[in-house]
């Protein structure tokens, strides 16, 4: 009696759970399977119906850092800029929002048109084609080369879709292209660029070289082109030479007397509404390189906009490779399981796990941002899910074989399920935990896209485990039940055909031979018995040598071979390196001057710093939504009115000029808002007499007031000073975020900021104070660079200098911060460098912890982690070697 009871009772709690689940599975297999698949299907449908398909209109979105010290400052600065531009709660000077005419005047763009109705200058929104010159054609200012470019222009105009896309003049003809041959023809008064002669080219070249000196800086350029003075008549000949030099020829054309790329600007807007026509037109342009009569000129690339749309098209088209891989894996699973039913259900479960994960990600977690990186989860789930299916199937077959060898009662199918669950539960659970934990470890990243990817990937892995753990054993049980019913439908064994009977016997014998061969091979390699000792030692020693060589090779490949580096381009590559749009963006366009005032041999893009008071460097937006960057958080303690604060701010302007990275040449010209306190003091020294209206005096905003100014005088006059500065003609001065910013009259009625206004009113000494923020702009002598080490040195130097300056800051100015938009890419590099190792160590730690719990062996866990690390590093090294050989020879891309 007691022995029977012992056999009936489970030996432990896990075994009891396995038996309970096994009996539940085998008693109601069809019902559980239908309910599980139906529930997953409903969740997937709700996720798609409510949230729609993923949208990748902006692939660059989300590749910014959030909640780092630099990111918080940058977001606050950008929010300040946005609020000033909107003129809802902040404005550049009091009552600016009521002067809409001036607001538009400061923000309008020049758009000069000719008498024919065509734009005179090539605007940024027009399509561009980059032509590469080879051999003698590099001497672009020659009649032969210009003739080749003119012939290419005729080929473009002759394409089928050009006339449908180009902008028309008043006579309904396509506007002319902006190209070097056309400018030479205009200079020579020729109706066609094919009619130009050698003398015309020489005359054009001579005048362009002479006029180049008048375009080297902004002041002389504006004087010559727009005010038409301080330069010869021919130099402002409709901006002819200026446009030809800086828009159609690369920046080394004059300095090296050799041109590698020329630009042809087409009168076709990039934002064309006819997307299908634009796609066909781009294909025609790319095919024209085969129609050119000479190899000295070819189409290098082009830009007609829609780069993100092209990326989306390729992203959808590349799903065919996922489909091909799925078919191959489907065939492998079918061969292994020998059941089309099991294979179909397992793949259906993987598909539903993605749909259910999308529902949880969008609806349960409420994450609206879905980066295109999440599409990689499809490949991950396909691999992990297939592996889990094969493991469960193999365990099921072993369970049946073990039961048959022991002559157990085969009428108890629950035993198969219990044995399968005992063999696979721990393995699958640990695999799921380690894999999902590795992805969730990336939540430590400050980059939004990586965070969202880690959440979606980890969630999909957990959901796929749950669905596979339920559905695969049920499917295997139903599959066996179906096959057991088939013999009853067939005639008896004695009546079967001999061919079928012999085929079945042959398959059974072949399977036994296969099993014996595999078992013998495994025993030979891994047995610790005496007869196999020497073989085992040789095998293990060889494995150790092999793993050591792999680790050493991987380390060399990563550190010295492929030389993995931080990204050195602010623009992420979306398309293949050979795509004409990508070639234009990464190869052709950088060869042209970033500005017509820049030295072609020197990158003179200087780093600009901003010292900001009045707002706190805080990001109160949604960390998982790159579009939600929150709102400004004002500093209620900020005050510039006390005398000590005014003196300290004036002293700060002088101390800034003593910094080692300060550009002393930045004082040239009208920098009225760089350090506004100095401008304000000079403005207050004006005469009190109003020459326009003698009855009204400028008092107290004149030389009768002495610095530091009284509270009433300070706030009354600083608004007028800011107004006069921002009313300076745009020819001399363009507004920036620097200087004082004021609360608008509608600020008190703005709901999102009502609590902020209340706090400011209560905490500031003078409730009527309307000065909201104050910003100082510093132009440095440091050239901007994408090299991490250079920007790190600058950032550390700036932080130390600002910390020293702020040590003496009086009350009301102690919460200022310093930031630069040029630190954004540096912050991204810094996050990748530091947080990658944090995520890696965290994931390895989680993996080691789960392995220790499962294996209960420190040695086995350590060895497994080392093997995993070796596999990962060898894969990285191989990928790096591929990138180095494939891409670096083209345009030195980093992988």
């Amino acid at each position: 009696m007691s022995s029977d009871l012992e056999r009936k009772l489970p030996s432990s709690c896990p075994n009891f759970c396995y038996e309970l689940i096994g009996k539940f599975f085998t008693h109601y297999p069809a019902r559980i399977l239908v309910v599980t698949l139906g529930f997953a299907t409903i969740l997937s449908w709700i996720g798609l119906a409510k949230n729609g398909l993923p949208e990748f209109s902006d692939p660059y979105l989300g590749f910014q850092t959030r909640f780092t010290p630099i990111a918080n400052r940058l977001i606050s600065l950008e929010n300040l800029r946005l609020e000033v531009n909107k003129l809802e709660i902040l404005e550049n000077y009091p009552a600016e929002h009521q002067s809409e005419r001036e607001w538009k005047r400061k923000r309008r763009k020049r758009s000069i048109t000719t008498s024919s109705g065509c734009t005179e200058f090539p605007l940024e929104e027009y399509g561009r084609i980059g032509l590469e010159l080879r051999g003698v054609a590099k001497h672009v200012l020659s009649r032969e080369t210009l003739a080749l470019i003119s012939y290419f222009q005729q080929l473009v105009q002759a394409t089928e879709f050009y006339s449908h896309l180009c902008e028309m003049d008043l006579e309904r003809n396509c506007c002319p292209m902006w190209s070097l041959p056309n400018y030479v023809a205009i200079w020579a008064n020729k109706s066609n660029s094919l009619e130009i002669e050698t003398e015309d080219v020489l005359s054009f070249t001579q005048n362009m070289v002479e006029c180049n000196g008048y375009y080297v800086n902004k002041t002389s350029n504006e004087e010559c082109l727009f005010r038409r003075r301080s330069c010869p008549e021919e130099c402002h000949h409709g901006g002819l030479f200026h446009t030809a030099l800086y828009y159609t020829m690369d920046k080394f054309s004059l300095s090296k007397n050799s041109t590698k790329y020329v630009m042809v600007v087409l009168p076709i807007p990039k934002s064309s509404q006819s997307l299908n026509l634009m796609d066909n037109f781009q294909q025609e342009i790319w095919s024209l390189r085969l129609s050119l009569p000479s190899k000295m000129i070819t189409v290098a690339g082009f830009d007609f906009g829609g780069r993100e749309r092209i990326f989306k098209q390729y992203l959808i088209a590349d799903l065919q490779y996922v489909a091909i891989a799925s078919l191959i894996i489907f065939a492998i699973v079918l061969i292994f399981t020998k059941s089309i039913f099991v294979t179909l259900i397992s793949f259906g479960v993987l598909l539903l796990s993605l749909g259910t994960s999308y529902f949880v990600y969008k609806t349960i977690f409420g994450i609206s941002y879905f980066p295109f990186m999440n599409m990689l989860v499809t490949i991950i789930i396909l691999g992990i899910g297939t592996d889990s299916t094969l493991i469960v199937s193999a365990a099921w077959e072993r369970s049946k074989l073990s039961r048959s060898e022991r002559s157990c009662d085969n009428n108890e199918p629950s035993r198969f399920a219990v044995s399968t669950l005992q063999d696979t539960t721990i393995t699958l659970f640990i695999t799921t935990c380690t894999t999902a934990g590795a992805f969730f470890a990336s939540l430590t990243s400050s980059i939004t896209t990586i965070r969202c990817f880690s959440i979606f990937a980890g969630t999909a892995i957990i959901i796929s485990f749950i669905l596979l753990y339920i559905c695969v054993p049920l499917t295997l049980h139903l599959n066996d039940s179906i096959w057991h019913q088939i013999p009853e439908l067939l005639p008896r064994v004695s009546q079967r055909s001999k061919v079928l009977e012999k085929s079945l016997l042959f398959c059974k014998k072949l399977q036994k031979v296969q099993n014996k061969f595999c078992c013998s091979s495994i025993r030979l390699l891994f047995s610790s018995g005496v007869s196999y000792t020497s073989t085992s030692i040789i095998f293990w020693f060889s494995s150790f040598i092999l793993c050591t060589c792999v680790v050493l090779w991987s380390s060399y490949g990563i550190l010295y071979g492929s030389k993995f580096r931080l990204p050195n381009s602010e623009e992420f590559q979306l398309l293949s390196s050979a795509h004409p749009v990508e070639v234009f963006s990464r190869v052709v366009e950088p060869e042209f001057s970033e500005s017509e005032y820049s030295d072609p041999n020197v990158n003179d893009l200087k780093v600009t710093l901003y010292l900001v008071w009045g707002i706190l460097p805080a990001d109160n937006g949604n960390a998982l939504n790159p579009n939600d960057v929150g709102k400004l958080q004002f500093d209620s303690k900020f005050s510039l009115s006390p005398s000590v604060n005014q003196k300290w701010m004036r002293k700060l302007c002088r101390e800034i000029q003593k910094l080692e990275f300060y550009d002393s040449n930045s004082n040239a010209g009208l920098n009225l808002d760089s350090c506004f306190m100095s401008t304000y003091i000079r403005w207050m020294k004006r005469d009190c007499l109003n020459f326009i209206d003698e009855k009204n005096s400028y008092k107290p905003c004149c030389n009768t007031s002495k610095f530091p100014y009284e509270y009433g005088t300070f706030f009354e006059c600083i608004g007028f000073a800011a107004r006069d500065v921002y009313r300076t003609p745009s020819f001399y001065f363009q507004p920036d975020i620097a200087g004082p910013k004021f609360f608008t009259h509608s600020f008190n009625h703005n709901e999102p900021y009502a609590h902020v206004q209340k706090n400011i009113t209560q905490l500031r000494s003078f409730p009527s104070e309307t000065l909201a923020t104050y910003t100082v702009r510093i132009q440095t002598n440091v050239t901007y660079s994408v090299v991490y080490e250079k920007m790190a040195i600058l950032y550390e130097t700036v932080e130390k200098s600002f910390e020293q300056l702020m040590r003496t800051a009086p009350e009301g100015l102690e919460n200022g911060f310093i930031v630069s938009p040029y630190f954004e890419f540096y912050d991204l590099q810094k996050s990748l460098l530091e947080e990658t190792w944090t995520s890696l160590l965290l994931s390895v730690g989680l993996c080691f912890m789960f392995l220790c719990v499962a294996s209960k062996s420190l040695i086995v866990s350590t060895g497994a982690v080392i093997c995993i690390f070796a596999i990962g590093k060898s894969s990285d090294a191989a990928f790096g070697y591929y990138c180095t050989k494939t891409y670096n020879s083209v345009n030195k891309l980093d992988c």
Side-chain angles (χ1 to χ4, degrees):
M1 179 73 178
S2 60
S3 61
D4 294 339
L5 184 61
E6 289 177 359
R7 285 194 297 268
K8 291 181 180 180
L9 289 175
S11 58
S12 62
C13 183
N15 291 336
F16 173 74
C17 295
Y18 292 145
E19 291 188 8
L20 182 63
I21 296 174
K23 290 181 180 180
F24 192 65
F25 277 7
T26 53
H27 280 77
Y28 312 102
R31 298 178 185 178
I32 298 175
L33 183 63
V34 171
V35 170
T36 303
L37 295 179
F39 184 67
T41 303
I42 292 174
L43 293 182
S44 301
W45 179 81
I46 293 175
L48 291 175
K50 183 178 179 180
N51 304 293
L53 293 173
E55 178 64 32
F56 310 112
S57 57
D58 187 2
Y60 298 107
L61 192 65
F63 284 97
Q64 298 88 20
T65 54
R66 296 287 297 271
F67 298 102
T68 65
I70 297 178
N72 291 341
R73 300 174 188 177
L74 286 172
I75 287 177
S76 299
L77 182 68
E78 186 60 27
N79 284 340
L80 175 62
R81 193 185 304 274
L82 292 175
E83 292 297 341
V84 172
N85 288 336
K86 290 192 295 184
L87 295 179
E88 293 179 355
I89 64 169
L90 295 177
E91 54 190 358
N92 292 295
Y93 58 88
E96 182 194 15
H97 66 286
Q98 299 176 0
S99 180
E100 185 178 359
R101 179 183 61 83
E102 293 186 11
W103 180 62
K104 290 183 177 180
R105 178 182 65 85
K106 285 295 180 183
R107 290 157 178 81
R108 71 169 181 251
K109 295 182 179 180
R110 287 190 178 94
S111 180
I112 302 176
T113 57
T114 61
S115 58
S116 63
C118 297
T119 306
E120 185 175 359
F121 293 101
L123 301 178
E124 181 64 28
E125 53 265 26
Y126 285 134
R128 285 163 163 76
I129 302 176
L131 299 178
E132 182 180 0
L133 306 181
R134 301 170 181 172
V136 295
K138 289 189 175 182
H139 301 286
V140 66
L141 293 171
S142 64
R143 183 180 180 278
E144 293 75 14
T145 304
L146 295 179
L148 290 174
I149 301 175
S150 299
Y151 179 73
F152 173 77
Q153 293 177 191
Q154 288 189 337
L155 293 177
V156 173
Q157 292 172 344
T159 56
E160 180 181 357
F161 301 99
Y162 180 78
S163 59
H164 298 281
L165 297 170
C166 69
E167 286 190 345
M168 303 287 185
D169 57 16
L170 299 179
E171 298 180 358
R172 304 303 298 168
N173 295 320
C174 287
C175 291
M177 302 179 187
W178 295 274
S179 66
L180 190 58
N182 286 357
Y183 285 127
V184 176
I186 294 173
W187 171 255
N189 291 323
K190 300 295 177 63
S191 60
N192 194 313
S193 59
L194 293 175
E195 300 176 359
I196 57 179
E197 302 294 339
T198 304
E199 293 77 11
D200 302 328
V201 178
L202 293 176
S203 175
F204 182 86
T205 304
Q206 181 180 358
N207 282 274
M208 183 170 62
V209 173
E210 294 177 356
C211 294
N212 184 39
Y214 297 99
Y215 308 142
V216 293
N217 60 69
K218 184 175 182 180
T219 303
S220 60
N221 178 70
E222 296 273 0
E223 287 283 339
C224 180
L225 294 181
F226 298 104
R227 301 179 70 87
R228 300 189 174 226
R229 64 188 185 187
S230 302
C231 66
E233 175 66 26
E234 57 270 13
C235 293
H236 56 75
H237 190 275
L240 192 69
F241 297 111
H242 172 268
T243 309
L245 186 61
Y246 293 105
Y247 289 91
T248 65
M249 303 166 61
D250 64 37
K251 54 188 176 182
F252 301 106
S253 296
L254 294 183
S255 60
K256 295 184 178 180
N257 196 25
S258 177
T259 304
K260 186 176 181 181
Y261 298 103
V262 294
M263 192 90 73
V264 177
V265 183
L266 276 59
I268 297 179
K270 292 181 181 179
S271 58
S272 176
Q273 299 295 328
S274 305
L275 298 180
N276 294 330
L277 292 179
M278 183 63 76
D279 292 339
N280 295 330
F281 178 69
Q282 293 186 51
Q283 294 177 4
E284 288 184 330
I285 294 298
W286 187 236
S287 63
L288 287 181
R289 56 196 174 94
L290 304 176
S291 304
L292 293 173
S294 174
K295 294 183 180 180
M296 294 187 297
I297 181 173
T298 184
V299 178
F302 49 76
D303 178 21
F304 293 101
R307 189 181 180 202
E308 293 77 12
R309 180 174 53 85
I310 297 174
F311 168 77
K312 184 177 179 180
Q313 292 175 351
Y314 275 97
L315 189 66
I316 297 175
D318 288 345
L319 291 178
Q320 62 180 324
Y321 301 109
V322 179
I324 294 173
S326 301
L327 291 176
I328 295 174
I329 296 176
F330 184 88
I332 294 174
V333 175
L334 179 60
I335 294 173
F336 185 86
T337 60
K338 306 179 186 66
S339 172
I340 186 66
F341 178 64
V342 175
T343 306
L344 287 174
I345 293 296
S346 62
F347 268 75
V349 167
L350 295 180
L351 184 63
L352 290 175
S353 65
L354 290 174
T356 307
S357 303
Y358 187 71
F359 166 80
V360 174
Y361 179 88
K362 283 279 193 176
T363 306
I364 304 299
F365 295 159
I367 305 175
S368 59
Y369 172 59
F370 193 87
F372 70 89
M373 278 184 62
N374 287 2
M375 297 296 291
L376 297 175
V377 177
T378 304
I379 309 297
I380 297 172
I381 292 299
L382 184 62
I384 296 177
T386 302
D387 185 47
S388 301
T389 302
L390 297 180
I391 290 175
V392 175
S393 300
W396 184 270
E397 293 298 327
R398 285 197 307 271
S399 176
K400 291 197 300 182
L401 182 62
S402 175
R403 294 289 174 179
S404 61
E405 289 179 352
R406 297 177 188 176
S407 301
C408 292
D409 187 5
N410 289 328
N411 294 326
E412 295 185 13
S414 62
R415 295 296 178 183
F416 298 155
V418 172
S419 179
T420 301
L421 295 176
Q422 289 176 338
D423 291 342
T424 60
T425 298
I426 298 298
T427 302
L428 296 180
F429 180 75
I430 296 299
T431 301
T432 302
C433 290
T434 53
T435 309
F439 281 108
F440 284 133
S442 297
L443 281 171
T444 58
S445 175
S446 58
I447 302 174
T448 307
T449 296
I450 296 179
R451 281 186 173 185
C452 293
F453 172 73
S454 64
I455 293 175
F456 185 70
T459 303
I461 290 170
I462 294 174
I463 291 177
S464 66
F465 162 73
I466 296 174
L467 293 179
L468 287 171
Y469 187 78
I470 296 175
C471 296
V472 173
L474 293 174
T475 307
L476 291 169
H477 173 68
L478 290 174
N479 182 70
D480 286 353
S481 301
I482 293 173
W483 281 104
H484 286 153
Q485 298 297 326
I486 291 178
E488 298 179 1
L489 302 177
L490 298 175
R492 295 183 178 274
V493 178
S494 58
Q495 298 178 356
R496 293 180 187 173
S497 64
K498 295 182 178 181
V499 178
L500 179 60
E501 187 176 355
K502 290 181 179 180
S503 300
L504 293 174
L505 291 176
F506 176 76
C507 292
K508 291 181 179 180
K509 291 180 179 180
L510 183 62
Q511 186 175 7
K512 289 182 179 180
V513 172
Q514 180 182 0
N515 293 336
K516 289 181 178 180
F517 176 77
C518 294
C519 294
S520 301
S521 302
I522 294 174
R523 291 193 188 97
L524 178 64
L525 294 177
F526 298 99
S527 175
S528 59
V530 179
S531 58
Y532 302 111
T533 302
S534 59
T535 306
S536 300
I537 292 175
I538 294 173
F539 172 77
W540 287 113
F541 185 75
S542 302
S543 301
F544 176 77
I545 295 296
L546 179 62
C547 289
T548 304
C549 293
V550 169
V551 172
L552 293 177
W553 172 78
S554 304
S555 302
Y556 173 81
I558 293 174
L559 298 177
Y560 301 101
S562 60
K563 294 183 179 179
F564 272 16
R565 299 176 295 269
L566 288 168
N568 62 359
S569 175
E570 294 185 77
E571 187 175 6
F572 292 98
Q573 181 175 344
L574 296 179
L575 310 174
S576 65
S577 299
H579 196 280
V581 175
E582 198 69 43
V583 171
F584 182 90
S585 175
R586 302 180 70 89
V587 180
V588 179
E589 194 171 26
E591 294 295 322
F592 290 79
S593 297
E594 296 180 357
S595 170
E596 57 264 35
Y597 321 119
S598 60
D599 186 349
N601 299 304
V602 179
N603 176 18
D604 61 350
L605 192 61
K606 304 298 183 181
V607 175
T608 304
L609 303 174
Y610 292 92
L611 279 69
V612 185
W613 288 269
I615 58 175
L616 299 177
D619 181 0
N620 48 28
N622 186 350
L624 300 177
N625 185 1
N627 293 315
D628 184 5
V629 292
K631 295 183 178 296
L632 282 177
Q633 186 173 342
F634 292 96
D635 180 15
S636 58
K637 297 180 180 180
F638 166 68
S639 178
L640 192 59
S641 58
S643 300
V644 63
N645 292 20
Q646 297 180 42
K647 292 179 180 179
W648 186 85
M649 191 61 69
R650 183 179 65 172
K651 180 182 177 182
L652 179 69
C653 295
R654 298 171 181 173
E655 294 294 330
I656 288 174
Q657 298 179 7
K658 299 177 183 179
L659 298 175
E660 58 179 340
F661 52 80
Y662 178 76
D663 185 8
S664 57
N665 297 324
S666 62
N667 290 326
L670 289 178
N671 282 320
L672 301 177
D673 58 349
S674 294
C675 196
F676 191 82
M677 183 60 70
S678 299
T679 303
Y680 181 36
I681 294 174
R682 292 195 302 268
W683 182 83
M684 288 287 288
K685 293 180 180 180
R686 64 179 179 172
D687 192 82
C688 295
L689 181 61
N690 189 339
F691 294 99
I692 299 177
D693 186 3
E694 297 182 357
K695 294 182 180 180
N696 295 324
S697 173
Y698 287 128
K699 291 182 179 180
C701 303
C702 57
N703 53 19
T704 58
S705 301
K706 303 300 180 182
F707 184 84
Y709 310 110
E710 297 180 355
Y711 168 76
T713 302
F714 178 81
F715 281 109
E716 179 181 353
C717 299
I718 194 173
F720 291 123
R723 182 197 61 185
D724 289 350
V725 166
Y726 276 84
R727 285 182 175 179
T728 304
S730 59
F731 172 74
Y732 297 102
F733 171 76
Q734 287 293 331
D736 189 24
I737 198 63
K741 307 301 172 189
F742 302 84
F743 291 122
T744 62
H745 295 300
S746 60
F747 179 73
N748 292 326
H749 307 286
N750 196 301
E751 288 298 330
Y753 294 90
H755 64 286
V756 182
Q757 173 66 20
K758 181 179 179 180
N759 293 335
I760 292 174
T761 304
Q762 292 177 351
L763 295 177
R764 288 187 177 173
S765 302
F766 303 96
S768 61
E769 184 174 319
T770 59
L771 182 61
T773 67
Y774 181 83
T775 305
V776 174
R777 183 178 65 244
I778 305 175
Q779 187 66 49
T780 70
N781 54 15
V782 181
T783 303
Y784 172 67
S785 174
V786 294
V787 179
Y788 173 78
E789 290 76 11
K790 293 182 180 180
M791 295 302 293
I793 294 174
L794 175 62
Y795 177 73
E796 292 174 1
T797 304
V798 169
E799 285 291 305
K800 291 180 181 178
S801 301
F802 182 70
E803 183 179 355
Q804 293 177 356
L805 292 174
M806 291 298 293
R807 287 177 182 175
T808 59
E811 184 179 359
L813 297 177
E814 68 272 22
N815 293 332
F817 63 90
I818 189 169
V819 71
S820 172
Y822 295 97
F823 288 151
E824 181 178 8
F825 188 63
Y826 160 74
D827 192 37
L828 177 64
Q829 293 175 313
K830 187 172 182 288
S831 299
L832 289 174
L833 182 63
E834 298 176 353
E835 295 168 356
T836 299
W837 288 106
T838 304
S839 302
L840 178 61
L841 293 177
L842 182 58
S843 60
V844 170
L846 290 173
C847 179
F848 182 77
M849 181 184 67
F850 284 116
L851 286 174
C852 287
V853 173
S855 64
K856 300 178 182 179
S857 172
L858 185 63
I859 298 177
V860 173
S861 302
T862 304
V865 170
I866 293 175
C867 289
I868 293 172
F869 180 79
I871 293 172
K873 293 297 115 180
S874 60
S875 302
D876 292 342
F879 179 68
Y881 178 81
Y882 168 76
C883 286
T884 302
K885 295 298 182 182
T886 305
Y887 296 110
N888 283 5
S889 59
V890 180
N891 54 358
K892 299 180 180 179
L893 296 179
D894 292 328
C895 296

